Amino acid sequence: MKWLCLAVVIPPLIASIVCGLFGSRMRREWSHWLGVIGTIISFAASLMLLRALVQQEWQPADLTLYVWGFNPEWGFQVGFMVDALSVTMMLVVSLISLLVHIYSVGYMAEDPGYARFFSYISLFTFAMLMLVSSNNLLQLFFGWEGVGLVSYLLIGFWYTRPSAVTANMKAFVINRVGDFSFVLGIAILFSAYDTLAFDRLLGSAGALAQMDLAWLPKSASAQEWACLLLFIGAMAKSAQIPLHIWLPDSMEGPTPISALIHAATMVTAGIFLVCRFSPLFETAPGTLSFMLLIGASTALLLGLVGLVQTDIKRVVAYSTISQLGYMTAALGASAYAAGLFHLVTHAFFKALLFLAAGSVIIAMHHEQDMRQMGGLRRKMPITYLTCLIGALSLSGFPGFAGFFSKDALIEAVSASTVPGAQIAAVILLFSVFVTALYTFRMIFLVFHGEPRHDASHVHESPHVVTGPLVVLAVFSLCAGAFLAEPILFSSPMQNAIPMAAHGGMRHLADHWEGPAAFVVHGLFSPAVILMLAGIVTAWLFYGGAAARGQRLLSKFKPAQWILDRGWGFDALFMNFFASAGQKLGVRLWHGVDQNYIDTGMVMGTARRVRSMASRVSSLQSGYLYHYAFVMIIALFMLITWFGFSFVL
Amino acid sequence: MLSEAPLLSLLIWLPIAGGLLVLWMRDQEAAAERIALIITVAGFLISLYLWAGFDPNQTQLQWVESVAWIESLHIYYALGIDGIALPLIVLTTFMTIPVVILTPSSVSQQQSFYLSAFLIMEGLMIGVFSATDAVLFYVFWEAMLIPMFLIIGIWGGANRIYATIKFFLYTFLGSVLMLAVIIYLYWRSGEFSIWAWHGMHLSAKEQWWIFMAFWAAFAVKIPMWPVHTWLPDAHVEAPTGGSIILAAIMLKLGAYGFLRFTLPIVPDAAVALHGLMIGLSLAAIVYIGFVALMQEDMKKLVAYSSIAHMGIVTLGIFLPFSMATLGVGVDQEGVLLAVQGSIVQMISHGLVSGALFACIGVLYDRMHTRQISEYGGIATSMPMFAAFLVFFAMANIGLPGTSGFVGEFAVILAAMHANFWVALLAATTLVLAASYTLWMVKRVAYGPVKRPAIAMLADLSWREGLVLTMLAIPVLILGIWPAPLLQVTEPAVHTLLEPIFGL
């Protein structure tokens, strides 16, 4: 099984190294074949891993490959934890990565950085697989930072664009703010348990509450500190308020990347982390409520921002943030499995929407403004249909994958006993309306109405692009019905993510009568009604002429003003934190280092040195030789002198 | 048997003899360079042999040599290494090689003299790491500075005399105090063996004064806040090779001094003053991090970044004393992790900062400026260089998978054993280092090509490519598998800390 795990993670790494080192010297096709074959092997090995897991009756396997360093007891190691959770993630990651690799063959066809691109996405796949398969916090953090690195490299893929290189730095630094907290969380766990290995950390998760930790502030319990800090780390990666501001800007990267990294996989790493540590989070009710608050507000507030975007990719980006908010809220309600389920279905339909948007962008010759589009459905039937499926799935139309996960999620949240869950459920419910509204605003603006551009050159994308769309559309349509039971209620998954005490999942399980009954029951649920209302509203304002939508917005000037600015989070970070940091840097440098330490403290040494230096420099550099010899002689004389004084 | 051979002496005197030989070959610079390269590579191979023959599980000093030097004063020519000195010696022999390779492109005049200064300095620095007699240590410690003064003073930039004298004043003050302490300890104990001083009985007051004197010598070298202001000036004026050695090796001497002298000789003073030391280390991490953010000169930026990274080293060294005062019993995990982490951080910083200074040298040789604002869009004309720059920047940030992560992570984890707030402040390096390093990368490498001259730049020459590749390899290896290094340091750290903390 160890070999199987290696077969999952290593092939993309090899592909990446070969493409990265020799990409410029080998034929173009080789780079994509390497990447595609690498991810095919990963996916196949993940499937075999699943089979192996079934054969051993879902007994989780904890395999350590080698000890990275320090005392082996401490768990600084490289190894794999094979259970239902990690295998689910491996399958999702390798499958989406494979489809994105194939899609990129078409999307990146004309880019001069072809080999570099494939090297990066293969490296990403490796890092993400290392993250999800890890059996310890060290390797998880390695993957965590690895995906962050590749995200940085890919957002800045077109490195001559000033906006791209600003965005990638912002993404990295904001993520580092999260990592700052994440590392502190890891440090608390390590200091308490003296290990980073999952089996011992999670096996005795409850023990943290009994420990007397002298070094920790007493304002909260140890488990609250640890969970809160881990969660703040997850907030940056999974783009939760207020650390979400890097994600919209990350759209500067090539579109396949937005699908793979900034929608389907990397941004869900935070959700995965909390699922992995669910036994620990269960003991921290304060953090759970905090997660509910953050998740629900992210879902609603950033969904609203999606309403005013004009760039097609940014609509989908804000939608991603909003959906991540749903997942976070589910985690907060301690309905971890529901969060994971939404993660999986979201990976399919959001990757689909991004790739469809990419298909539109190619057809429009890299025009991303939806106001310049319109009427594309006749020209691009496959893209239109698949995109529509993705949109319906995202909105939660009964029967689609997104419906199962979202309805289950909302129901689990509303039945949860975590303080604040009821309010969160109401917010999430209202967000369903917002989701449907912005999604179908996009659909209508892009595909319906009259073309607002020169449509003569627009044509459907090549098969290599539409193929992955169709595959993802199938998953977005069907995955929900098939995966609901295995992910939400199966005992293997409950081994990995124990069913929590806070009621939500229990309630869901008690009322579960199979997928068909769930659809029928859902038909009359408030969520579906709100979703339909959202679609109808979108139709009313954007279905026909775009002018009507503009009129609507002009009636809500203040709302639009604040939404255009994304609630001002960006301005807060850039104008307050970034510039305050810079001002502080200047003040410390000039004010303290130069004026105080250099001139003042060392008794004006600097000034004296300067005047000495000006005198010395007139003596030629030959002075230095003398000076050096004087020093050596002085040194030996000193030793001798001291020596004699002792002897005498 | 080769294991009986005086290999440490060979490592010290071979480069020095080679340096004198090269000095004598003034007119044949190509030959001088070849000889210098052979000698440095030979030195590196010998140091690897030293490592191979080193038994990490043996707690005594190894490769010991001892010859009476001035018998009446009990001064010996005594050498020997433990698991702390060994990696630093290998680092020294390794880091001299890139300096030699880069010499023709970074210095245009008096190349053989330049090479000889570095070779002599290499031998002297190895002497510092391997001396077990305090007088011998002190002689090497002082003598080592002379080639560095010459390197900055002769091949430096416009303001070199100012920088050299500032460097001299700072280090001289510290050295004089250290000499006084060495003599005092001799007076108390009757011998100059550093190891005999370990665990010596000294009153609290004596310990306090000795600690302060040692601090003056070592803190300047590291440098710790607030005696750090000589370093940016020295770096800016130094030629590329000078900067590489200064950052990679010289800064480590201070930290080595703390481990070799301060901790074992005056542990009670270290307990009493740990708060101050940790405070200064955190100041280096946080305060200097902000200062680095605003630098306009690339070398100054990396110099400030060095100070911040060395702050992690000193933090790791003094953290155990903070744990010792918690009253809950010293836990072994935290103590070992802290000191081992800081040793790994020393090695890693040597490689990474050396590589970053080499990168800056590559740019300076082409554009003759180090102002960040003069650059922009380098990645377009020098893609290979940009790839290396981003790689070493990531190592500087401490990305897992590079050596920069290992020590930083260990020290932050250990800091949590001591105090939450210390760990919190130490962890700010994650954000600060990313900010200043990537901001520089962004302005230098990315964006549109800023000036026509940049579009014309040639990518790495084979010499430069070779240097950056050979520096990248250990950075990666240590990041993926630091176990070999940790296995060597662990018993030595244990031996060092055992009498202090009763592990």
Side-chain angles (χ1 to χ4, degrees), chain B residues 391-428:
Chain B
F391 173 78
F392 290 118
M394 286 297 165
N396 199 43
I397 290 168
L399 201 78
T402 66
S403 61
F405 168 70
V406 186
E408 193 178 287
F409 188 64
V411 171
I412 294 171
L413 253 54
M416 189 60 89
H417 281 255
N419 183 301
F420 176 80
W421 300 107
V422 172
L424 183 112
L425 287 172
T428 55

Side-chain angles (χ1 to χ4, degrees), chain A residues 295-324:
Chain A
S297 28
T298 304
L300 179 63
L301 295 180
L302 277 303
L304 286 170
V305 176
L307 285 175
V308 298
Q309 299 304 313
T310 52
D311 181 319
I312 181 168
K313 280 181 75 181
R314 288 179 84 93
V315 176
V316 192
Y318 278 106
S319 157
T320 303
I321 302 176
S322 163
Q323 296 305 306
L324 288 166

Side-chain angles (χ1 to χ4, degrees), chain B residues 187-243:
Chain B
W187 179 69
R188 284 292 310 264
S189 70
E191 52 188 327
F192 275 116
S193 161
I194 299 169
W195 290 80
W197 292 345
H198 289 187
M200 207 168 125
H201 184 76
L202 293 164
S203 72
K205 201 169 182 185
E206 280 174 309
Q207 288 211 16
W208 195 90
W209 283 105
I210 294 171
F211 185 96
M212 280 305 175
F214 275 142
W215 184 85
F218 303 141
V220 165
K221 275 286 189 320
I222 283 180
M224 287 175 88
W225 193 87
V227 288
H228 64 279
T229 56
W230 64 271
L231 184 75
D233 285 317
H235 268 306
V236 166
E237 299 306 328
T240 302
S243 280

